[in-house]
Amino acid sequence: QVQLMESGGGSVQSGGSLKLSCGASGRTNCMAWFRQAPGKEREGVAAIFTVRPLTHYADDDVEGRFRISFDEAKNTAYLEMNSLKPEDTATYFCAAQTTGPCTVVPGARSWYQRWGQGIEVTVSS
């Protein structure tokens, strides 16, 4: 079974940047990032096909500030987060799947079979 390990979280001030990494122990077709803020539902952030350069972002705001990428040689997905806002504060989860659509539309969470433990991102104003 594929295992996922996140790294790179931390605390930054508003406007700052962070880069999250997610190493996978095996190959999958799709990797994604979700996040869950305190008291809120887990929501999708971005997804990427590992076999072709196709990405999907949750909304225009995320797409304008975040960038998801995948390094095939390292079997690692990244989430570069820029212009961070306090509302980006959440636990970020890496996810992977091989069967469903490679998106983070509402409800996509159920398509992802493998999940990381989560990593904290805190943005202070």
Side-chain angles (χ1 to χ4, degrees):
Q1 294 183 349
V2 174
Q3 294 184 330
L4 306 175
M5 181 65 70
E6 302 108 332
S7 63
S11 298
V12 295
Q13 290 191 329
S14 181
S17 299
L18 281 174
K19 184 175 182 179
L20 307 182
S21 301
C22 176
S25 64
R27 295 308 304 270
T28 62
N29 290 341
C30 173
M31 295 183 73
W33 290 95
F34 288 73
R35 66 185 179 185
Q36 188 166 14
K40 294 188 176 181
E41 295 285 322
R42 191 172 300 185
E43 63 178 8
V45 178
I48 186 168
F49 267 109
T50 62
V51 296
R52 66 184 91 169
L54 293 178
T55 59
H56 179 255
Y57 293 88
D59 54 44
D60 291 343
D61 177 62
V62 168
E63 188 169 8
R65 299 185 295 120
F66 294 4
R67 178 176 174 268
I68 189 170
S69 60
F70 179 74
D71 186 327
E72 184 175 3
K74 296 181 179 180
N75 211 29
T76 298
Y78 301 94
L79 184 69
E80 295 178 66
M81 304 185 292
N82 301 303
S83 302
L84 282 162
K85 307 174 183 179
E87 49 264 45
D88 294 316
T89 294
T91 301
Y92 283 70
F93 295 89
C94 177
Q97 54 117 330
T98 57
T99 58
C102 193
T103 73
V104 287
V105 297
R109 177 181 174 182
S110 62
W111 297 327
Y112 290 83
Q113 302 99 352
R114 298 288 175 256
W115 292 85
Q117 293 298 308
I119 191 165
E120 299 292 329
V121 171
T122 303
V123 185
S124 58
S125 58

